[in-house]
Amino acid sequence: MADSTDDRNPRPEEKQEVLPATRTRPGGVGRTVFYILVASLILVAIAWLALEMWAYGGAAGS
């Protein structure tokens, strides 16, 4: 168990730096993550379409 009764600040002798919320954000508005998700969804759709064409395309000729 911690020496301090407050678990949020286990070492009260160390000064905690308070940062504003805008400095701690890992990026801008989040558009980059959105673009990555859209691109990955498009790639999955292309792969699925290719698989469907490969799987059912050969059976039609038989």
Side-chain angles (χ1 to χ4, degrees), residues 31-54:
R31 292 183 182 166
T32 304
V33 175
F34 176 72
Y35 293 145
I36 290 172
L37 289 174
V38 168
S40 63
L41 184 62
I42 290 171
L43 289 175
V44 166
I46 290 171
W48 191 341
L49 180 64
L51 179 67
E52 290 287 334
M53 290 174 60
W54 176 76

Side-chain angles (χ1 to χ4, degrees), residues 4-21:
S4 176
T5 57
D6 186 8
D7 289 336
R8 293 174 294 167
N9 192 5
R11 298 180 186 157
E13 65 274 0
E14 294 181 10
K15 180 159 174 32
Q16 299 287 322
E17 182 181 355
V18 178
L19 298 175

